[in-house]
Amino acid sequence: EAGVTQFPSHSVIEKGQTVTLRCDPISGHDNLYWYRRVMGKEIKFLLHFVKESKQDESGMPNNRFLAERTGGTYSTLKVQPAELEDSGVYFCASSEKAGISEEYFGPGTRLTVL
Amino acid sequence: AQSVTQLGSHVSVSEGALVLLRCNYSSSVPPYLFWYVQYPNQGLQLLLKYTTGATLVKGINGFEAEFKKSETSFHLTKPSAHMSDAAEYFCAVSQGGTSYGKLTFGQGTILTVHP
């Protein structure tokens, strides 16, 4: 069974540009989470999808970030326009159902904004 | 609100020595507690978790952790370190229910194992 995959693994862009990160959860997993780790800081929750609906987006930093989950399958996280402070590693995770299902993490996308 | 503090951003042990990674949490409700490990270029992998019941939790790769409510701690231990244990370890807490998967992480502890 394939794990959670993320694309790209690395992205280097200039301030003001747009970047779209993609996450493919484990097939059949209803729950999808995005997290971010800024250099030297802790991993922070961004948002939670249940199927195609946003369950909790309390961690989204500001309106430059837009997350979508098409048809309840893969998810994208768009940053537009990117700022220097958006640099970090963006992790995606998925779990099967609500309740105490194990959360599986992808390898992350390392975003560098110059 | 909840938070996690991991004491020591770097821990170094010799192969065969005891591994002790410290985690303290704060939570306004009974917590669910987790330890994750991240090997280079990989995603986080669940080592063990505490939800309810027995306070001593055993996980993969010989690790275990004990939930101590009075000390608000969830320290991770392994009796004998192996070179393959070198990685970054994260303690996390959640509130459960529909927020079960909404994890609050500590800053991580990098474990180095010397031969």
Side-chain angles (χ1 to χ4, degrees), chain B residues 75-92:
Chain B
H75 302 331
L76 181 71
T77 60
K78 181 174 181 178
S80 176
H82 192 272
M83 297 295 289
S84 60
D85 295 326
E88 189 164 18
Y89 292 78
F90 298 91
C91 182

PDB file of all heavy atoms in Angstrom, chain B residues 75-92:
ATOM      1  N   HIS B  75       7.413  11.022  29.116  1.00  0.00           N
ATOM      2  CA  HIS B  75       8.797  10.819  28.699  1.00  0.00           C
ATOM      3  C   HIS B  75       8.956   9.513  27.928  1.00  0.00           C
ATOM      4  O   HIS B  75       8.343   8.495  28.262  1.00  0.00           O
ATOM      5  CB  HIS B  75       9.731  10.808  29.905  1.00  0.00           C
ATOM      6  CG  HIS B  75       9.681  12.053  30.728  1.00  0.00           C
ATOM      7  ND1 HIS B  75       9.372  13.296  30.202  1.00  0.00           N
ATOM      8  CD2 HIS B  75       9.906  12.260  32.052  1.00  0.00           C
ATOM      9  CE1 HIS B  75       9.402  14.215  31.160  1.00  0.00           C
ATOM     10  NE2 HIS B  75       9.727  13.607  32.288  1.00  0.00           N
ATOM     11  N   LEU B  76       9.826   9.545  26.947  1.00  0.00           N
ATOM     12  CA  LEU B  76      10.093   8.388  26.072  1.00  0.00           C
ATOM     13  C   LEU B  76      11.396   7.734  26.501  1.00  0.00           C
ATOM     14  O   LEU B  76      12.399   8.436  26.705  1.00  0.00           O
ATOM     15  CB  LEU B  76      10.200   8.847  24.627  1.00  0.00           C
ATOM     16  CG  LEU B  76      10.444   7.775  23.563  1.00  0.00           C
ATOM     17  CD1 LEU B  76       9.192   6.914  23.385  1.00  0.00           C
ATOM     18  CD2 LEU B  76      10.836   8.412  22.238  1.00  0.00           C
ATOM     19  N   THR B  77      11.378   6.416  26.623  1.00  0.00           N
ATOM     20  CA  THR B  77      12.589   5.704  27.027  1.00  0.00           C
ATOM     21  C   THR B  77      12.821   4.479  26.162  1.00  0.00           C
ATOM     22  O   THR B  77      11.896   3.936  25.542  1.00  0.00           O
ATOM     23  CB  THR B  77      12.523   5.262  28.498  1.00  0.00           C
ATOM     24  OG1 THR B  77      11.405   4.382  28.669  1.00  0.00           O
ATOM     25  CG2 THR B  77      12.387   6.442  29.444  1.00  0.00           C
ATOM     26  N   LYS B  78      14.086   4.080  26.133  1.00  0.00           N
ATOM     27  CA  LYS B  78      14.483   2.824  25.516  1.00  0.00           C
ATOM     28  C   LYS B  78      15.690   2.334  26.305  1.00  0.00           C
ATOM     29  O   LYS B  78      16.632   3.101  26.504  1.00  0.00           O
ATOM     30  CB  LYS B  78      14.821   2.991  24.044  1.00  0.00           C
ATOM     31  CG  LYS B  78      15.208   1.683  23.364  1.00  0.00           C
ATOM     32  CD  LYS B  78      15.406   1.855  21.862  1.00  0.00           C
ATOM     33  CE  LYS B  78      15.778   0.521  21.220  1.00  0.00           C
ATOM     34  NZ  LYS B  78      15.927   0.616  19.745  1.00  0.00           N
ATOM     35  N   PRO B  79      15.681   1.103  26.778  1.00  0.00           N
ATOM     36  CA  PRO B  79      16.751   0.629  27.660  1.00  0.00           C
ATOM     37  C   PRO B  79      18.135   0.654  27.022  1.00  0.00           C
ATOM     38  O   PRO B  79      19.118   0.952  27.699  1.00  0.00           O
ATOM     39  CB  PRO B  79      16.329  -0.807  27.992  1.00  0.00           C
ATOM     40  CG  PRO B  79      14.878  -0.870  27.706  1.00  0.00           C
ATOM     41  CD  PRO B  79      14.638   0.083  26.585  1.00  0.00           C
ATOM     42  N   SER B  80      18.206   0.354  25.739  1.00  0.00           N
ATOM     43  CA  SER B  80      19.508   0.209  25.107  1.00  0.00           C
ATOM     44  C   SER B  80      19.475   0.819  23.710  1.00  0.00           C
ATOM     45  O   SER B  80      18.781   0.310  22.825  1.00  0.00           O
ATOM     46  CB  SER B  80      19.887  -1.274  25.034  1.00  0.00           C
ATOM     47  OG  SER B  80      21.103  -1.455  24.351  1.00  0.00           O
ATOM     48  N   ALA B  81      20.205   1.891  23.517  1.00  0.00           N
ATOM     49  CA  ALA B  81      20.190   2.597  22.241  1.00  0.00           C
ATOM     50  C   ALA B  81      20.909   1.808  21.154  1.00  0.00           C
ATOM     51  O   ALA B  81      21.930   1.150  21.406  1.00  0.00           O
ATOM     52  CB  ALA B  81      20.842   3.971  22.390  1.00  0.00           C
ATOM     53  N   HIS B  82      20.372   1.930  19.958  1.00  0.00           N
ATOM     54  CA  HIS B  82      20.993   1.323  18.781  1.00  0.00           C
ATOM     55  C   HIS B  82      21.312   2.428  17.794  1.00  0.00           C
ATOM     56  O   HIS B  82      20.635   3.471  17.774  1.00  0.00           O
ATOM     57  CB  HIS B  82      20.019   0.309  18.156  1.00  0.00           C
ATOM     58  CG  HIS B  82      20.641  -0.567  17.136  1.00  0.00           C
ATOM     59  ND1 HIS B  82      20.717  -0.210  15.806  1.00  0.00           N
ATOM     60  CD2 HIS B  82      21.222  -1.782  17.233  1.00  0.00           C
ATOM     61  CE1 HIS B  82      21.330  -1.176  15.135  1.00  0.00           C
ATOM     62  NE2 HIS B  82      21.636  -2.137  15.977  1.00  0.00           N
ATOM     63  N   MET B  83      22.313   2.203  16.994  1.00  0.00           N
ATOM     64  CA  MET B  83      22.716   3.225  16.011  1.00  0.00           C
ATOM     65  C   MET B  83      21.532   3.651  15.147  1.00  0.00           C
ATOM     66  O   MET B  83      21.405   4.820  14.764  1.00  0.00           O
ATOM     67  CB  MET B  83      23.845   2.707  15.128  1.00  0.00           C
ATOM     68  CG  MET B  83      25.131   2.395  15.869  1.00  0.00           C
ATOM     69  SD  MET B  83      25.885   3.858  16.574  1.00  0.00           S
ATOM     70  CE  MET B  83      26.461   4.687  15.108  1.00  0.00           C
ATOM     71  N   SER B  84      20.659   2.705  14.847  1.00  0.00           N
ATOM     72  CA  SER B  84      19.517   3.003  13.970  1.00  0.00           C
ATOM     73  C   SER B  84      18.470   3.898  14.645  1.00  0.00           C
ATOM     74  O   SER B  84      17.523   4.334  13.987  1.00  0.00           O
ATOM     75  CB  SER B  84      18.859   1.712  13.512  1.00  0.00           C
ATOM     76  OG  SER B  84      18.387   0.979  14.625  1.00  0.00           O
ATOM     77  N   ASP B  85      18.618   4.160  15.936  1.00  0.00           N
ATOM     78  CA  ASP B  85      17.680   5.044  16.630  1.00  0.00           C
ATOM     79  C   ASP B  85      17.970   6.524  16.376  1.00  0.00           C
ATOM     80  O   ASP B  85      17.171   7.382  16.763  1.00  0.00           O
ATOM     81  CB  ASP B  85      17.715   4.782  18.139  1.00  0.00           C
ATOM     82  CG  ASP B  85      17.212   3.400  18.505  1.00  0.00           C
ATOM     83  OD1 ASP B  85      16.303   2.892  17.823  1.00  0.00           O
ATOM     84  OD2 ASP B  85      17.754   2.819  19.476  1.00  0.00           O
ATOM     85  N   ALA B  86      19.091   6.818  15.771  1.00  0.00           N
ATOM     86  CA  ALA B  86      19.437   8.211  15.497  1.00  0.00           C
ATOM     87  C   ALA B  86      18.399   8.827  14.563  1.00  0.00           C
ATOM     88  O   ALA B  86      18.184   8.340  13.442  1.00  0.00           O
ATOM     89  CB  ALA B  86      20.823   8.292  14.867  1.00  0.00           C
ATOM     90  N   ALA B  87      17.748   9.864  15.035  1.00  0.00           N
ATOM     91  CA  ALA B  87      16.637  10.476  14.304  1.00  0.00           C
ATOM     92  C   ALA B  87      16.163  11.687  15.114  1.00  0.00           C
ATOM     93  O   ALA B  87      16.718  12.007  16.158  1.00  0.00           O
ATOM     94  CB  ALA B  87      15.487   9.489  14.126  1.00  0.00           C
ATOM     95  N   GLU B  88      15.120  12.335  14.624  1.00  0.00           N
ATOM     96  CA  GLU B  88      14.479  13.402  15.388  1.00  0.00           C
ATOM     97  C   GLU B  88      13.158  12.876  15.937  1.00  0.00           C
ATOM     98  O   GLU B  88      12.396  12.234  15.215  1.00  0.00           O
ATOM     99  CB  GLU B  88      14.259  14.651  14.542  1.00  0.00           C
ATOM    100  CG  GLU B  88      13.784  15.847  15.354  1.00  0.00           C
ATOM    101  CD  GLU B  88      13.928  17.178  14.648  1.00  0.00           C
ATOM    102  OE1 GLU B  88      14.072  17.195  13.411  1.00  0.00           O
ATOM    103  OE2 GLU B  88      13.891  18.226  15.355  1.00  0.00           O
ATOM    104  N   TYR B  89      12.904  13.171  17.190  1.00  0.00           N
ATOM    105  CA  TYR B  89      11.732  12.665  17.886  1.00  0.00           C
ATOM    106  C   TYR B  89      10.828  13.823  18.305  1.00  0.00           C
ATOM    107  O   TYR B  89      11.302  14.849  18.804  1.00  0.00           O
ATOM    108  CB  TYR B  89      12.157  11.868  19.122  1.00  0.00           C
ATOM    109  CG  TYR B  89      12.868  10.583  18.765  1.00  0.00           C
ATOM    110  CD1 TYR B  89      14.200  10.593  18.361  1.00  0.00           C
ATOM    111  CD2 TYR B  89      12.205   9.364  18.780  1.00  0.00           C
ATOM    112  CE1 TYR B  89      14.849   9.430  18.001  1.00  0.00           C
ATOM    113  CE2 TYR B  89      12.846   8.189  18.434  1.00  0.00           C
ATOM    114  CZ  TYR B  89      14.162   8.230  18.037  1.00  0.00           C
ATOM    115  OH  TYR B  89      14.795   7.068  17.671  1.00  0.00           O
ATOM    116  N   PHE B  90       9.539  13.609  18.104  1.00  0.00           N
ATOM    117  CA  PHE B  90       8.556  14.643  18.403  1.00  0.00           C
ATOM    118  C   PHE B  90       7.497  14.114  19.361  1.00  0.00           C
ATOM    119  O   PHE B  90       6.919  13.052  19.116  1.00  0.00           O
ATOM    120  CB  PHE B  90       7.844  15.113  17.131  1.00  0.00           C
ATOM    121  CG  PHE B  90       8.740  15.744  16.115  1.00  0.00           C
ATOM    122  CD1 PHE B  90       9.334  14.977  15.118  1.00  0.00           C
ATOM    123  CD2 PHE B  90       8.994  17.106  16.146  1.00  0.00           C
ATOM    124  CE1 PHE B  90      10.159  15.562  14.165  1.00  0.00           C
ATOM    125  CE2 PHE B  90       9.818  17.697  15.210  1.00  0.00           C
ATOM    126  CZ  PHE B  90      10.405  16.917  14.219  1.00  0.00           C
ATOM    127  N   CYS B  91       7.239  14.876  20.396  1.00  0.00           N
ATOM    128  CA  CYS B  91       6.123  14.608  21.296  1.00  0.00           C
ATOM    129  C   CYS B  91       4.948  15.471  20.851  1.00  0.00           C
ATOM    130  O   CYS B  91       5.148  16.609  20.387  1.00  0.00           O
ATOM    131  CB  CYS B  91       6.532  14.955  22.729  1.00  0.00           C
ATOM    132  SG  CYS B  91       5.284  14.622  23.984  1.00  0.00           S
ATOM    133  N   ALA B  92       3.738  14.931  20.931  1.00  0.00           N
ATOM    134  CA  ALA B  92       2.573  15.689  20.485  1.00  0.00           C
ATOM    135  C   ALA B  92       1.378  15.371  21.371  1.00  0.00           C
ATOM    136  O   ALA B  92       1.307  14.312  22.001  1.00  0.00           O
ATOM    137  CB  ALA B  92       2.245  15.363  19.025  1.00  0.00           C
TER     138      ALA B  92
END
